[in-house]
Amino acid sequence: MRSWRSPQRLYILAVGVGGMVALILALRQWEPVPALPMLMMLAAAVLMDAYPLPMPGGGAMSLTFGVTLTAQLLYGTVPAAIINVLGNLIGYGVLNRRPWDRTQFNAGQFALTILTAGAVSTRLGLHPWPAPTGITIPPLHLVFVYVAIYWVMNNALVGLALYYHQAHPTREFLRLFFRWLPVDALSTAFAVAAHSVVMIAFQAYGEIGMAVGLTLFLMINYLLRLHMRLVEAHHDLQSLYEITKGLACVLELDDAFGWIDRAVQQLAPSDAFAIYLAEEGDVLRLQHAVHPDAGEVQGRVAGEGAVRRAARERQLVEHVDEPTLVTENFEPSSVLAVPLSADERLMGCLCLARRHRAFGDRERRLLSILASPMAMAIQNGLIYGRTQTMAHTDPMTGLYNYRFFSMRLREAVRRASATGQPLALILIDLDNFSDINNQFGHQAGDHVLRQFADLLRHSVRQQDLVARYAGDEFVAILPGARREEAEAVADRIWEAALRYRFTDLSGQIFFPLRFSLGVAVYPYDGPSDEDLIAAADRNMYREKRHHRERYRREHA
């Protein structure tokens, strides 16, 4: 029941019910009309609503307005409204099997639109124009008023309904909506032209002429439907080509996520979607989300739901539930999960969610085609990321290596020079590391290096970069740090090292670890990265000499 309290649901219900009530009240003005022409026009309206013209990028367009205008000019407002409403209920709702709430909304808005346009035009002087003898033309300015009111009101009511359950931001929605208006105006103009043919045929040949005119109208509708199918297929193929080509060129994981975002926006716009990556132990973790509460859902692990089922069955799953996407502000009514497999290996899963709309066959088909390219892009991104990590990381300690440190230090100096922000460097050397290696072996020494690297990670600030400079030397880049801030970080490293108990692999032997620190600050200690390293190195060796002298005095 909670979903009916949403503005979109209330609006749909109000328009649907309000339009039908208005039509029932208008039936009091009903006057008998010839049955056969009404049945022929009703049959044409049903077929046009059952087989509308598909539009590229989604949606459909009906030419029923041509029949509605014919009924309006021949028999008045109420017959025209009855033909349009019944055509929608039977053709769109029953034969086309569309959701009942959308069918009811369309019927209601058609009733309101036709009754309003008819009432205004009738008051201005537009009356039924059967012309039993000869071909005559009704007042064109009044016909134009009727068409204009119908078109404006129809687009306003439908546009508001689309806005309430849109998958795009407001600016993007308005851009798409105003792009749609010329297409709808063209379809209305075509329907009016077809109406003119039907009217002329009826005035010239009576009911036989109407039957021939409506048949031609339906044949043209069928040919246009085939044409629009081809246009839609061309649009889809072009989108698939561009997206597949983009996915094939992906190197980084973020770029893969960006192209998947584009694919979803172009081919299956949704209220929310997420990308899950497969981890060890059949874990599917949410790594990227476009969601009203993206920060809240980030990192969630898929349990029993659409994502887990799609990963297990390796096929598309449409469901109503995916717990990892549910938040206080978002609860979908339709969820589509697409497994992403590359080389028979599950890379992850794409999950799309909508509040009020189900996913169509076209959307499922296009996403299933793109599933493999998306999976390959994710695989390439992960491989490239691991390669980059290996190229920039010291394999023993897990810290950044000298090459990456040098590159980042040059960038940090350039940035500091451009912005005027300070920059600090801390160089660290383990004084007695060679003694540990000589007495206890290289395995024990390597274990000490890993422990000291972990200590450095937890002692610096979050924005700082720590690297292994050489065998037993380490370095930290502190962007934005002045001398007092850098010295505070150095003090934290000292205090953490004093408290830490460095051990061998067995954890039984403890090593008293001594080290020296050198701090340098840009631009006071040097205007370039080389000068900064040299200054930190001098300060470190000055402290190292001080430690040696103190050590000799203590052991004299």
Side-chain angles (χ1 to χ4, degrees):
M1 293 296 294
R2 190 178 67 174
S3 63
W4 280 105
R5 299 172 189 167
S6 67
Q8 190 257 351
R9 291 288 186 177
L10 289 174
Y11 174 74
I12 285 178
L13 182 64
V15 172
V17 174
M20 298 307 292
V21 170
L23 180 59
I24 292 172
L25 294 176
L27 287 176
R28 293 180 299 179
Q29 304 174 10
W30 171 267
E31 295 181 1
V33 296
L36 186 57
M38 281 289 293
L39 289 175
M40 287 192 292
M41 287 188 288
L42 177 59
V46 168
L47 291 174
M48 289 181 187
D49 276 330
Y51 301 102
L53 308 180
M55 300 304 298
M61 178 176 65
S62 174
L63 300 179
T64 313
F65 179 67
V67 179
T68 301
L69 183 58
T70 303
Q72 173 73 40
L73 294 181
L74 289 178
Y75 304 119
T77 301
V78 176
I82 290 175
I83 286 176
N84 206 332
V85 169
L86 289 180
N88 174 79
L89 291 174
I90 299 172
Y92 185 81
V94 178
L95 299 181
N96 214 0
R97 298 180 179 179
R98 307 304 294 175
W100 72 268
D101 55 340
R102 191 181 302 181
T103 302
Q104 182 191 34
F105 168 78
N106 282 340
Q109 69 94 3
F110 282 139
L112 291 174
T113 301
I114 294 169
L115 292 175
T116 303
V120 174
S121 302
T122 300
R123 183 175 292 273
L124 293 175
L126 183 66
H127 299 291
W129 203 267
T133 57
I135 299 175
T136 58
I137 300 176
L140 293 181
H141 65 287
L142 296 180
V143 174
F144 177 79
V145 169
Y146 179 87
V147 173
I149 294 174
Y150 176 93
W151 185 80
V152 171
M153 191 169 177
N154 173 262
N155 280 285
L157 292 173
V158 174
L160 190 57
L162 293 174
Y163 175 76
Y164 275 128
H165 74 276
Q166 60 170 310
H168 301 285
T170 302
R171 180 178 296 179
E172 178 69 10
F173 166 77
L174 291 175
R175 184 180 69 84
L176 294 173
F177 181 70
F178 283 114
R179 278 179 55 190
W180 163 262
L181 289 182
V183 177
D184 189 68
L186 182 62
S187 71
T188 303
F190 180 83
V192 171
H195 142 78
S196 302
V197 174
V198 175
M199 280 288 291
I200 292 172
F202 176 69
Q203 291 180 351
Y205 302 104
E207 295 172 350
I208 295 177
M210 175 175 284
V212 173
L214 291 175
T215 301
L216 291 174
F217 197 174
L218 291 172
M219 289 177 63
I220 294 173
N221 184 82
Y222 175 74
L223 293 175
L224 285 174
R225 180 179 168 84
L226 291 180
H227 171 72
M228 296 308 297
R229 286 291 186 194
L230 290 174
V231 172
E232 181 186 59
H234 177 265
H235 172 271
D236 291 343
L237 286 174
Q238 187 174 20
S239 298
L240 288 173
Y241 171 74
E242 293 175 356
I243 293 168
T244 303
K245 185 172 70 172
L247 289 168
C249 298
V250 159
L251 282 180
E252 297 187 0
L253 191 59
D254 286 343
D255 292 337
F257 290 161
W259 277 102
I260 294 174
D261 287 2
R262 181 175 176 179
V264 171
Q265 292 170 5
Q266 286 190 9
L267 304 177
S270 303
D271 297 310
F273 72 91
I275 302 171
Y276 301 75
L277 296 187
E279 300 178 0
E280 294 182 3
D282 295 331
V283 173
L284 287 163
R285 190 179 302 277
L286 197 157
Q287 296 288 356
H288 175 81
V290 175
H291 189 283
D293 299 310
E296 182 179 343
V297 302
Q298 189 77 16
R300 287 183 176 181
V301 175
E304 285 304 318
V307 170
R308 173 63 59 186
R309 182 179 164 191
R312 183 171 56 248
E313 299 177 1
R314 300 293 180 94
Q315 62 182 11
L316 273 73
V317 171
E318 187 166 6
H319 203 261
V320 297
D321 183 37
E322 176 46 54
T324 52
L325 295 181
V326 176
T327 63
E328 184 177 351
N329 299 319
F330 183 76
E331 185 172 352
S333 63
S334 182
V335 170
L336 181 65
V338 184
L340 306 176
S341 299
D343 299 328
E344 299 185 356
R345 178 189 172 193
L346 182 70
M347 302 306 302
C349 193
L350 170 66
C351 186
L352 298 82
R354 289 174 177 168
R355 286 188 173 97
H356 307 299
R357 285 190 299 143
F359 291 90
D361 293 336
R362 168 183 166 272
E363 293 166 325
R364 287 191 290 269
R365 183 177 66 255
L366 294 175
L367 290 174
S368 65
I369 293 172
L370 283 175
S372 181
M374 288 190 289
M376 291 296 294
I378 289 175
Q379 184 182 54
N380 292 340
L382 291 173
I383 293 174
Y384 181 77
R386 285 195 292 266
T387 304
Q388 289 291 95
T389 300
M390 292 173 62
H392 295 155
T393 305
D394 173 56
M396 180 183 298
T397 62
L399 299 177
Y400 291 112
N401 57 22
Y402 175 79
R403 178 187 175 195
F404 187 73
F405 154 74
S406 300
M407 180 176 64
R408 290 298 297 272
L409 180 61
R410 284 194 295 270
E411 293 175 359
V413 170
R414 283 198 297 267
R415 190 179 302 112
S417 175
T419 62
Q421 294 296 315
L423 171 69
L425 191 70
I426 300 177
L427 195 59
I428 308 164
D429 180 56
L430 304 186
D431 295 338
N432 63 330
F433 179 71
S434 58
D435 298 336
I436 297 173
N437 265 344
N438 294 335
Q439 292 181 2
F440 300 98
H442 289 281
Q443 287 187 337
D446 292 346
H447 190 58
V448 170
L449 286 178
R450 286 190 288 269
Q451 293 174 82
F452 191 74
D454 192 56
L455 180 145
L456 287 178
R457 280 194 201 93
H458 293 89
S459 299
V460 298
R461 305 171 305 171
Q462 185 176 5
Q463 66 268 34
D464 299 336
L465 182 145
V466 182
R468 187 181 181 188
Y469 188 70
D472 59 350
E473 290 183 301
F474 299 86
V475 66
I477 303 174
L478 283 63
R482 304 181 188 279
R483 190 175 301 277
E484 56 271 18
E485 295 172 286
E487 290 175 351
V489 173
D491 290 341
R492 281 205 303 272
I493 295 173
W494 269 111
E495 294 170 3
L498 289 174
R499 292 193 304 267
Y500 196 90
R501 305 186 73 184
F502 297 92
T503 69
D504 65 350
L505 288 169
S506 66
Q508 301 298 319
I509 303 175
F510 299 94
F511 306 113
L513 190 64
R514 300 191 305 275
F515 59 92
S516 302
L517 289 167
V519 177
V521 178
Y522 173 88
Y524 310 105
D525 294 320
S528 68
D529 53 324
E530 293 90 351
D531 295 334
L532 209 57
I533 293 173
D537 193 59
R538 287 194 302 270
N539 294 334
M540 183 192 69
Y541 273 98
R542 186 182 300 116
E543 185 173 304
K544 187 184 290 289
R545 286 194 298 271
H546 174 71
H547 289 168
R548 286 174 180 169
E549 292 172 2
R550 187 176 65 182
Y551 182 77
R552 291 194 191 100
R553 287 196 303 268
E554 290 175 353
H555 292 80

